[in-house]
Amino acid sequence: LDKWNKLCNTKTKTSGFTLDQAIACAVQFDNQHCGIYAGDADSYKDFALVFDPIIQEYHGIGGDATHNSDMDVSKIRGTINPAAPVHSTRIRVGRSFNGFGLSPGITRE
């Protein structure tokens, strides 16, 4: 309740996203895997008091963890046996644009 009271009136700069919107799915449906969604990049900073512990637990990382990105394709090493009968595969990539909301925070503006 302390976290809610501290953050309930906060709106993100990018899309005006609120903590109420971030948790709406979990409030409405009790069978959600995650139940909290960022509306934009600001959500992670503005609602860090709520997001950080969830992210840390989900990924099994500490509060001092950092994200490292290495886009050097030559470093990719496959572990699939070339003789395996792979019929199809699916790769999901999600990206966002700075200054625009993520899926839950997209606005007409």
Side-chain angles (χ1 to χ4, degrees):
L1 192 54
D2 289 339
K3 291 178 184 182
W4 173 258
N5 289 335
K6 185 173 182 177
L7 300 172
C8 68
N9 295 314
T10 301
K11 288 187 175 189
T12 63
K13 182 179 177 184
T14 298
S15 62
F17 207 69
T18 65
L19 184 58
D20 187 50
Q21 290 172 293
I23 65 170
C25 193
V27 171
Q28 188 172 1
F29 305 102
D30 65 358
N31 63 347
Q32 298 302 298
H33 172 72
C34 178
I36 189 166
Y37 299 92
D40 50 42
D42 299 333
S43 297
Y44 294 106
K45 292 184 183 111
D46 294 347
F47 307 123
L49 192 62
V50 175
F51 272 94
D52 285 356
I54 294 169
I55 293 168
Q56 290 165 14
E57 180 180 338
Y58 182 83
H59 291 288
I61 58 174
D64 59 346
T66 58
H67 176 76
N68 298 312
S69 181
D70 186 348
M71 302 299 283
D72 183 353
V73 72
S74 70
K75 294 180 182 177
I76 297 173
R77 300 288 179 252
T79 58
I80 299 173
N81 180 342
V86 177
H87 298 284
S88 68
T89 186
R90 178 178 176 216
I91 299 173
R92 182 194 177 280
V93 178
R95 293 286 175 247
S96 60
F97 294 98
N98 193 24
F100 289 88
L102 301 171
S103 295
I106 293 174
T107 64
R108 291 178 189 250
E109 293 79 34

